[in-house]
Amino acid sequence: MSRPDAVTGPGVLVRCRGAARTYGDGPAAVVAVHGATCEVRTGDRIAITGPSGSGKSTLLHLMAGLETPTAGRVVWPALARGPVPDQVGVVFQGPSLIPALDVVENTALPLVLAGRPEEPARRRALDCLALVGATGLADKLPEELSGGQAQRVAVARVLAAAPLLILADEPTGQLDRRTGRHVVDVLLASADTLGAALVVTTHDPAVARRLPQRWTMHDGRLRTGPRPPRDMPAAAPERTVP
Ligand code: ADP
Ligand code: MG
């Protein structure tokens, strides 16, 4: 499956310009993100580190189009249809599988919602479960899964939709070191296979070290790091969707 329609041009998948998010108002208002300015381009591999409560999830949700900025702007210049699930995939911090659906139905859900016929969607879901080493879980319900297994299924669900931008919010937060390493391996390999950009929030320095570009957040303030030199052309690479 190739999707020539998916990218309108080279480059910037998401751009935040002074994007801020405040919750509540008056004296009780909490500024979760202060005017963040950043961009994520095709091929980027970015880790966002920062203590709990520093605004990492809120920033990720702004980049996913799931939160509206209360000031500033967030735009998706290279995404023809904006931040829809088959262009921007989110691995959420908490449990996100639908309890009443089994693993393969959960994984196929974005495709079914996008109008794909059930059988091909199911086949693709099984392929993606294989990529994350979760083939044996296909018939299980979410309540039968360990935290690590559920997280791998959540990654498979994102892969099934073949997004151009993968946003993973503390994907290893609930996992032991070894399982966490495997989930990061899978995210990196998937981003390569899909020709997607990958942004991972984490408070684990060992996870952050796996990504070449590091941003930090403190009290809602984002500091972006230098863009590492790379051979990747600015234009979107040829992509093959497995
Ligand atoms: P992190 O992911 O780094 O732990 P969050 O983005 O979840 O940080 O939260 C940043 C700040 O915004 C925290 O003070 C948090 O309590 C607050 N916050 C996040 N979401 C909400 C919400 N829906 N309502 C009110 N406050 C929120
Ligand atoms: Mg968070």
Side-chain angles (χ1 to χ4, degrees):
M1 172 176 85
S2 67
R3 290 216 319 261
D5 68 308
V7 181
T8 50
V12 180
L13 296 166
V14 60
R15 174 182 292 133
C16 300
R17 282 278 172 268
R21 184 71 174 96
T22 302
Y23 293 108
D25 46 32
V30 174
V31 185
V33 174
H34 291 269
T37 293
C38 58
E39 58 185 40
V40 180
R41 299 188 202 161
T42 304
D44 278 348
R45 305 280 180 268
I46 299 164
I48 306 179
T49 59
S52 181
S54 58
K56 301 183 297 299
S57 293
T58 306
L59 178 64
L60 221 63
H61 294 170
L62 286 168
M63 295 202 286
L66 297 172
E67 292 269 14
T68 310
T70 44
R73 289 190 73 201
V74 181
V75 291
W76 296 266
L79 299 181
R81 289 177 284 117
V84 292
D86 65 347
Q87 307 232 299
V88 180
V90 185
V91 180
F92 291 95
Q93 185 169 357
S96 63
L97 301 178
I98 313 265
L101 301 181
D102 70 20
V103 161
V104 72
E105 289 165 342
N106 262 289
T107 309
L109 191 61
L111 300 173
V112 173
L113 291 177
R116 289 264 215 107
E118 210 167 305
E119 228 3 81
R122 201 181 161 80
R123 277 201 302 276
R124 175 155 176 80
L126 285 167
D127 289 346
C128 293
L129 287 167
L131 287 177
V132 304
T135 301
L137 306 175
D139 299 330
K140 294 202 182 296
L141 287 170
E143 66 187 22
E144 300 175 276
L145 305 180
S146 70
Q149 290 171 334
Q151 202 56 306
R152 275 187 283 160
V153 174
V155 172
R157 182 176 56 183
V158 165
L159 297 186
L164 292 154
L165 172 60
I166 302 172
L167 304 171
D169 197 3
E170 305 217 22
T172 64
Q174 313 292 320
L175 312 179
D176 62 67
R177 268 281 154 92
R178 198 167 142 266
T179 316
R181 222 174 9 241
H182 179 61
V183 166
V184 176
D185 288 342
V186 165
L187 284 168
L188 286 166
S190 307
D192 287 346
T193 309
L194 295 171
L198 174 65
V199 181
V200 177
T201 71
T202 183
H203 54 247
D204 182 348
V207 171
R209 277 195 294 273
R210 308 271 320 265
L211 294 110
Q213 208 173 334
R214 323 258 162 71
W215 297 354
T216 55
M217 284 207 82
H218 239 279
D219 292 336
R221 294 181 198 282
L222 173 70
R223 182 185 292 176
T224 56
R227 185 176 290 279
R230 56 188 160 89
D231 6 282
M232 184 93 56
E238 279 287 305
R239 68 194 294 265
T240 334
V241 176

Short mmCIF file of all heavy atoms in Angstrom, two decimals, residues 23 30 32 51-58 93, ligand 1:
data_model
loop_
_atom_site.label_atom_id
_atom_site.label_comp_id
_atom_site.label_asym_id
_atom_site.label_seq_id
_atom_site.Cartn_x
_atom_site.Cartn_y
_atom_site.Cartn_z
N TYR A 23 -5.04 25.25 31.64
CA TYR A 23 -6.25 24.59 32.13
C TYR A 23 -6.88 25.45 33.22
O TYR A 23 -6.18 25.94 34.11
CB TYR A 23 -5.92 23.21 32.71
CG TYR A 23 -5.46 22.22 31.66
CD1 TYR A 23 -4.13 21.83 31.61
CD2 TYR A 23 -6.34 21.71 30.72
CE1 TYR A 23 -3.70 20.91 30.65
CE2 TYR A 23 -5.92 20.80 29.77
CZ TYR A 23 -4.60 20.41 29.73
OH TYR A 23 -4.17 19.52 28.78
N VAL A 30 -3.85 26.61 35.55
CA VAL A 30 -2.56 25.92 35.48
C VAL A 30 -2.05 26.05 34.04
O VAL A 30 -2.75 25.68 33.10
CB VAL A 30 -2.71 24.41 35.79
CG1 VAL A 30 -1.39 23.67 35.57
CG2 VAL A 30 -3.21 24.20 37.20
N ALA A 32 -0.06 24.48 31.61
CA ALA A 32 0.61 23.19 31.39
C ALA A 32 1.76 23.34 30.40
O ALA A 32 2.81 22.73 30.55
CB ALA A 32 -0.38 22.16 30.89
N PRO A 51 10.54 16.17 34.14
CA PRO A 51 9.89 15.53 35.28
C PRO A 51 8.38 15.43 35.11
O PRO A 51 7.80 16.08 34.23
CB PRO A 51 10.24 16.44 36.46
CG PRO A 51 10.74 17.71 35.88
CD PRO A 51 11.16 17.44 34.47
N SER A 52 7.77 14.62 35.94
CA SER A 52 6.32 14.48 35.93
C SER A 52 5.67 15.84 36.16
O SER A 52 6.14 16.62 36.99
CB SER A 52 5.95 13.49 37.04
OG SER A 52 4.57 13.32 37.05
N GLY A 53 4.64 16.15 35.39
CA GLY A 53 3.94 17.43 35.55
C GLY A 53 4.58 18.58 34.78
O GLY A 53 4.12 19.72 34.85
N SER A 54 5.63 18.29 33.99
CA SER A 54 6.33 19.38 33.29
C SER A 54 5.64 19.75 31.97
O SER A 54 6.06 20.70 31.31
CB SER A 54 7.80 19.01 33.05
OG SER A 54 7.89 17.81 32.29
N GLY A 55 4.61 18.99 31.56
CA GLY A 55 3.85 19.37 30.37
C GLY A 55 4.10 18.51 29.15
O GLY A 55 3.63 18.83 28.05
N LYS A 56 4.79 17.39 29.33
CA LYS A 56 5.13 16.54 28.17
C LYS A 56 3.88 16.01 27.47
O LYS A 56 3.76 16.08 26.25
CB LYS A 56 6.00 15.35 28.63
CG LYS A 56 7.29 15.75 29.31
CD LYS A 56 8.14 14.53 29.68
CE LYS A 56 7.48 13.59 30.69
NZ LYS A 56 7.19 14.21 31.99
N SER A 57 2.95 15.44 28.25
CA SER A 57 1.74 14.88 27.63
C SER A 57 0.94 15.97 26.94
O SER A 57 0.42 15.77 25.83
CB SER A 57 0.86 14.20 28.68
OG SER A 57 1.50 13.05 29.20
N THR A 58 0.82 17.11 27.60
CA THR A 58 0.04 18.20 27.00
C THR A 58 0.66 18.65 25.68
O THR A 58 -0.05 18.84 24.69
CB THR A 58 -0.06 19.39 28.00
OG1 THR A 58 -0.57 18.90 29.24
CG2 THR A 58 -0.97 20.48 27.46
N GLN A 93 -0.20 7.48 27.11
CA GLN A 93 0.52 7.13 28.34
C GLN A 93 -0.22 6.06 29.15
O GLN A 93 0.38 5.14 29.66
CB GLN A 93 0.70 8.41 29.17
CG GLN A 93 1.54 8.19 30.42
CD GLN A 93 1.94 9.50 31.09
OE1 GLN A 93 1.64 10.59 30.62
NE2 GLN A 93 2.62 9.38 32.21
P1 ADP B 1 3.63 15.42 32.17
O1 ADP B 1 3.12 14.62 31.03
O2 ADP B 1 5.00 15.98 31.93
O3 ADP B 1 3.57 14.67 33.46
P2 ADP B 1 1.17 16.92 31.86
O4 ADP B 1 1.17 17.52 30.50
O5 ADP B 1 0.36 15.72 32.08
O6 ADP B 1 2.69 16.70 32.32
O7 ADP B 1 0.66 18.02 32.90
C1 ADP B 1 1.25 19.33 32.97
C2 ADP B 1 0.48 20.13 34.01
O8 ADP B 1 -0.85 20.37 33.56
C3 ADP B 1 0.35 19.44 35.36
O9 ADP B 1 0.41 20.44 36.37
C4 ADP B 1 -1.02 18.82 35.28
O10 ADP B 1 -1.57 18.69 36.57
C5 ADP B 1 -1.79 19.84 34.46
N1 ADP B 1 -2.87 19.23 33.69
C6 ADP B 1 -2.73 18.33 32.69
N2 ADP B 1 -3.91 17.97 32.17
C7 ADP B 1 -4.85 18.68 32.87
C8 ADP B 1 -6.28 18.78 32.79
N3 ADP B 1 -6.98 18.08 31.90
N4 ADP B 1 -6.89 19.62 33.68
C9 ADP B 1 -6.19 20.34 34.56
N5 ADP B 1 -4.84 20.30 34.67
C10 ADP B 1 -4.18 19.49 33.85
#
